Amino acid sequence: MTVMLDAKNNIKNFAEKESNKGVVYNTKDLNLWYGEGHALKNINLPIYENEVTAIIGPSGCGKSTYIKTLNRMVELVPGVRISGQILYRERNIFDKDYKVEDLRTRVGMVFQKPNPFPKSIYENIAYGPKIHGIKNKKILDEIVEQSLRGAAIWDEVKDRLHQNAYGLSGGQQQRICMARCLAIEPDVILMDEPTSALDPISTLKVEELVQELKKNYSIIIVTHNMQQAARISDKTAFFLSGEVIEYADTDKIFSTPSDKRTEDYITGRFG
Ligand SMILES: Nc1ncnc2c1ncn2[C@@H]1O[C@H](COP(=O)(O)OP(=O)(O)OP(=O)(O)O)[C@@H](O)[C@H]1O
Ligand SMILES: [Mg+2]
């Protein structure tokens, strides 16, 4: 209990110290149950804008659950119960009158396995903007090009925009999914182990891209790869059994973690 309180106070102090920076998300006393299973326990976590926040922790600790809660996707699971608050741009996303569609247009998500639509590269990117009512071909062309450029894949696909996205490599497909995400001009990008199905070179490309994208977006990335978290994130939250054990600057977490459990995890002693 003392440890838990300490963690909570650390996070609170941290949040106050950094309060001059824009906070995109603020999670307050969040609990989540899948039926009887208590998957998230008293989570308190700020997420800052134009930063990369890494979520790390062993399998089953609640990383995916947490990021799926940030865009309310987790509510699609039957029997989910949630208490506490998640403020997105200072509004509680669980408020009765909060429109989940509004949230999803502000918060994009990239999954572990690239999941392009079985359509052309062009249609994959134009799909979201079309749903939002953009019909003008010139504007759509522009959005497609800018999004593909933004995801660092334009040069590789510009001559085959009307071919099926399934014909691309896994790494290319993942960048198409990132471009699809950018096409709706999100504010936040959630990524759940976006490189775990990719080879080292594609992984590096996605990592470089994340670094580039944080200039304009706030990014939350779940990763099992400690080097990756250390390389690309500004802040790191270490989850264990549904709790945030430690949250701090990434440099601090990886050089002088405050909690023994964090140290054990990052040095590979468990998980
Ligand atoms: N749809 C579901 N129904 C019931 N329990 C679930 C569901 N999804 C996840 N859980 C449980 O919630 C806990 C957290 O799962 P979650 O998928 O968030 O973990 P994770 O940290 O993302 O793990 P991994 O690293 O393996 O992806 C686990 O105990 C898991 O079994
Ligand atoms: Mg997961």
Side-chain angles (χ1 to χ4, degrees), residues 19 36 48-49 69 79 88 93 131 137-138 146 161 172 177-178 181 188 192 200-201 210 219 236 240 251 256 259 271:
S19 59
E36 294 298 302
Y48 294 97
E49 64 185 2
T69 310
Y88 166 66
I93 64 170
I131 285 191
K137 166 117 180 18
K138 254 208 170 115
Q146 286 313 319
L161 291 179
Q172 289 173 325
C177 294
M178 290 173 78
C181 187
V188 180
D192 196 350
I201 290 171
V210 167
I219 297 171
T236 297
L240 187 65
D251 291 346
T256 49
D259 194 292

Side-chain angles (χ1 to χ4, degrees), residues 103-142:
L103 184 66
R104 305 254 173 88
T105 60
R106 306 299 297 137
V107 181
M109 184 150 179
V110 176
F111 298 84
Q112 178 169 8
K113 251 183 83 214
N115 60 348
F117 305 131
K119 290 172 184 280
S120 72
I121 293 167
Y122 184 98
E123 283 304 324
N124 262 276
I125 314 302
Y127 183 82
K130 278 185 179 172
I131 285 191
H132 291 115
I134 299 173
K135 296 197 184 86
N136 184 304
K137 166 117 180 18
K138 254 208 170 115
I139 295 175
L140 286 172
D141 286 354
E142 181 67 17

Side-chain angles (χ1 to χ4, degrees), residues 21-237:
K21 264 192 195 152
V23 175
V24 188
Y25 271 113
N26 215 341
T27 299
K28 297 187 172 179
D29 299 324
L30 177 74
N31 282 278
L32 182 143
W33 293 263
Y34 291 110
E36 294 298 302
H38 197 177
L40 297 177
K41 301 170 187 160
N42 298 314
I43 308 282
N44 285 279
L45 206 59
I47 305 282
Y48 294 97
E49 64 185 2
N50 301 111
E51 286 197 344
V52 177
T53 302
I55 310 280
I56 62 168
S59 188
C61 69
K63 304 178 297 295
S64 297
T65 300
Y66 179 62
I67 71 164
K68 281 188 292 188
T69 310
L70 294 174
N71 67 354
R72 290 185 47 185
M73 227 177 82
V74 79
E75 291 169 28
L76 300 173
V77 179
V80 162
R81 223 155 29 87
I82 297 171
S83 73
Q85 291 188 329
I86 294 182
L87 305 180
Y88 166 66
R89 298 285 180 194
E90 299 182 347
R91 263 192 76 197
N92 184 8
I93 64 170
F94 303 126
D95 274 353
K96 276 205 177 60
D97 58 351
Y98 201 107
K99 289 204 190 81
V100 75
E101 305 76 40
D102 292 347
L103 184 66
R104 305 254 173 88
T105 60
R106 306 299 297 137
V107 181
M109 184 150 179
V110 176
F111 298 84
Q112 178 169 8
K113 251 183 83 214
N115 60 348
F117 305 131
K119 290 172 184 280
S120 72
I121 293 167
Y122 184 98
E123 283 304 324
N124 262 276
I125 314 302
Y127 183 82
K130 278 185 179 172
I131 285 191
H132 291 115
I134 299 173
K135 296 197 184 86
N136 184 304
K137 166 117 180 18
K138 254 208 170 115
I139 295 175
L140 286 172
D141 286 354
E142 181 67 17
I143 293 173
V144 169
E145 178 170 343
Q146 286 313 319
S147 305
L148 290 167
R149 282 189 188 280
I153 191 165
W154 171 251
D155 289 336
E156 287 161 70
V157 299
K158 64 176 190 291
D159 300 321
R160 51 196 286 199
L161 291 179
H162 298 286
Q163 291 176 22
N164 198 299
Y166 280 9
L168 298 170
S169 74
Q172 289 173 325
Q173 288 186 18
Q174 194 61 310
R175 279 177 289 140
I176 292 292
C177 294
M178 290 173 78
R180 184 175 67 190
C181 187
L182 299 183
I184 58 161
E185 295 186 356
D187 177 30
V188 180
I189 304 175
L190 308 175
M191 303 178 134
D192 196 350
E193 300 186 53
T195 62
S196 65
L198 307 184
D199 66 84
I201 290 171
S202 306
T203 295
L204 205 67
K205 282 193 179 157
V206 171
E207 287 185 8
E208 283 169 3
L209 184 54
V210 167
Q211 293 286 278
E212 191 56 34
L213 291 175
K214 79 170 187 183
K215 293 176 188 157
N216 297 312
Y217 308 91
S218 309
I219 297 171
I220 303 163
I221 182 169
V222 171
T223 179
H224 274 124
N225 180 329
M226 293 304 109
Q227 283 80 21
Q228 179 168 79
R231 271 196 300 266
I232 67 173
S233 70
D234 302 286
K235 303 278 193 315
T236 297

